[in-house]
Amino acid sequence: MSTPQQQQQHVRVVEQQPQQVEPAEGAATSSSIGGTESISASKELTGLTHECGVFGAIACGDWPTQMDIAHVICLGLVALQHRGQESAGIATSEGKCSKNFNVHKGMGMISTLFNDDSMKKLRGNLGIGHTRYSTAGASEVVNCQPFVVHTAHGALALAHNGELVNNESLRREVLARGVGLSTHSDSELIAQSLCCAPEDVSELDGPNWPARIRHFMMLAPLSYSLVIMLKDKIYAVRDTYGNRPLCIGKIVPINAGHGNREDTPADGWVVSSESCGFLSIGARYVREVEPGEIVELTRSGYRTVDIVERPDFKRMAFCIFEYVYFARGDSIFEGQMVYTVRLQCGRQLWREAPVEADIVSSVPESGTAAAHGYARESGLDFAEVLCRNRYVGRTFIQPSTRLRQLGVAKKFGALSENVAGKRLVLIDDSIVRGNTIGPIIKLLRDAGAREVHIRIASPPLQYPCYMGINIPTREELIANKLNADQLARHVGADSLAYLSVEGLVEAVQQKQRDAAGDGQSKPTGHCTACLTGEYPGGLPDELSW
């Protein structure tokens, strides 16, 4: 490992301007390279996980490119901002020198971190970016990504979405090689594990990066989607279970017209956690990175360089909660738009939990599609009853109960003319801790609602997630304390019902079966661990958290 002073000679880092962002309390105020700062000793590691977004872009043709790669990545991250709102970063390469990456990262929103000056210093022909939800004990600059580390063959930048289930055993293996780790982040652990070549791989003609990536994937079965940048190429990697999403898009010329013709020449290629931002950057959705696939993107295009198979007795385990909560409605997973799945969830919810009412409404925004499905299936009218303040962030992953409750108070107003005297069915996408629905019901009753029936377009969350979602302990999940009837009384609803696990899976797989024609879709599988306790790779062997 090189010292921080030696690293500064190899990687040009764009330092974060102090006035650009307020650092979190206790956080370092300067940018770090590959995590060269230590985690604050005053914060206890709690094992809380996070949800992130990764993005990569590379220009085609001759370099230097006329395309502003840094702006493409920045806009791509803006489209993924819902996946992470506490830290972000971009690393770019000009493709000429393996020791010269441009890096800018820090705490805060994309619009806060990246201004005209910082973007000018991020010139390059390829690059990767990351946006992140940090959690208690990890909300620090040291854990901002992309991580940049130095190998015998030059710099490597990595951005990661997910959580390594076998973090502890892999950490011990890396430390046993004499490699020092400066953070508790598994993203740095992945980057450092790629620095060492497998013993059975010959590298006389230079580094065999696909073999190194394969070796890591054999050691760590899940959970991750990765974008890895070297001097002149990007690797896109998805774990063998396909637990976290990743997809490829083609940047087309401005005058290419509409549609997605395969013969349209590419100005560049992008890879992203979600496809929702593709149209805004002039890109067209191409396909998903398949589970276990290693895709290489260069100026000439993209190609599959390897596929790591999972064991025959294991099924694909794409996170079903991506459909329920995390993804933006216009993203495409498994050949279907997330909005369509949520609409189907609402239809299925009516079949399982009908109720006599006057109108159907939703908790905006992610409950809206399911509410429309519920209304269409039931024949009831849909009407908006809540007015949302768009300048208040999500309440799911804020660190304290008090802040979550205050967030709800500032987040919604009631449309009293739509509510007064009505029997109302209110659809929400999920209930986690149960802190937000009670104040919403009170708000609607104060606005004159005669009855408020709550319908949840997902099953009750009952188990923690070890694969990249902030569902840390069973004690925090309200479904483990109260059943549906008890919860209805607790929050002041006239009734409350969840969608069943079987109903959710049915809604997710309906279109896939319809598309197959014979009623049988291609082999798929979904991780329902947070709903059923059935973990695709088993529980972590050892948790030091």
Side-chain angles (χ1 to χ4, degrees), residues 3 5 182 193 352:
T3 66
Q5 290 76 20
S182 54
S193 68
E352 294 183 3

PDB file of all heavy atoms in Angstrom, residues 3 5 182 193 352:
ATOM      1  N   THR A   3       1.641   5.306   0.599  1.00  0.00           N
ATOM      2  CA  THR A   3       1.235   6.301   1.597  1.00  0.00           C
ATOM      3  C   THR A   3       0.333   7.329   0.948  1.00  0.00           C
ATOM      4  O   THR A   3       0.300   7.469  -0.278  1.00  0.00           O
ATOM      5  CB  THR A   3       2.478   7.013   2.163  1.00  0.00           C
ATOM      6  OG1 THR A   3       3.061   7.770   1.097  1.00  0.00           O
ATOM      7  CG2 THR A   3       3.482   6.014   2.724  1.00  0.00           C
ATOM      8  N   GLN A   5       0.804  10.415   0.744  1.00  0.00           N
ATOM      9  CA  GLN A   5       1.619  11.357  -0.034  1.00  0.00           C
ATOM     10  C   GLN A   5       1.967  10.764  -1.400  1.00  0.00           C
ATOM     11  O   GLN A   5       1.946  11.460  -2.418  1.00  0.00           O
ATOM     12  CB  GLN A   5       2.905  11.686   0.749  1.00  0.00           C
ATOM     13  CG  GLN A   5       2.668  12.537   1.988  1.00  0.00           C
ATOM     14  CD  GLN A   5       2.076  11.740   3.138  1.00  0.00           C
ATOM     15  OE1 GLN A   5       2.170  10.513   3.171  1.00  0.00           O
ATOM     16  NE2 GLN A   5       1.472  12.441   4.089  1.00  0.00           N
ATOM     17  N   SER A 182      -8.418   0.777   5.487  1.00  0.00           N
ATOM     18  CA  SER A 182      -8.533   2.018   6.234  1.00  0.00           C
ATOM     19  C   SER A 182      -9.968   2.351   6.618  1.00  0.00           C
ATOM     20  O   SER A 182     -10.203   3.350   7.281  1.00  0.00           O
ATOM     21  CB  SER A 182      -7.944   3.176   5.415  1.00  0.00           C
ATOM     22  OG  SER A 182      -8.538   3.232   4.138  1.00  0.00           O
ATOM     23  N   SER A 193      -9.450  -6.365  -2.696  1.00  0.00           N
ATOM     24  CA  SER A 193      -9.364  -7.770  -3.082  1.00  0.00           C
ATOM     25  C   SER A 193      -9.057  -7.928  -4.568  1.00  0.00           C
ATOM     26  O   SER A 193      -8.481  -8.929  -4.992  1.00  0.00           O
ATOM     27  CB  SER A 193     -10.664  -8.493  -2.732  1.00  0.00           C
ATOM     28  OG  SER A 193     -11.735  -8.033  -3.527  1.00  0.00           O
ATOM     29  N   GLU A 352     -57.466  -9.360  -2.814  1.00  0.00           N
ATOM     30  CA  GLU A 352     -57.208  -9.977  -1.513  1.00  0.00           C
ATOM     31  C   GLU A 352     -57.869  -9.239  -0.360  1.00  0.00           C
ATOM     32  O   GLU A 352     -58.214  -9.856   0.653  1.00  0.00           O
ATOM     33  CB  GLU A 352     -55.689 -10.040  -1.259  1.00  0.00           C
ATOM     34  CG  GLU A 352     -54.945 -10.956  -2.209  1.00  0.00           C
ATOM     35  CD  GLU A 352     -53.459 -11.058  -1.876  1.00  0.00           C
ATOM     36  OE1 GLU A 352     -53.031 -10.462  -0.861  1.00  0.00           O
ATOM     37  OE2 GLU A 352     -52.742 -11.728  -2.631  1.00  0.00           O
TER      38      GLU A 352
END
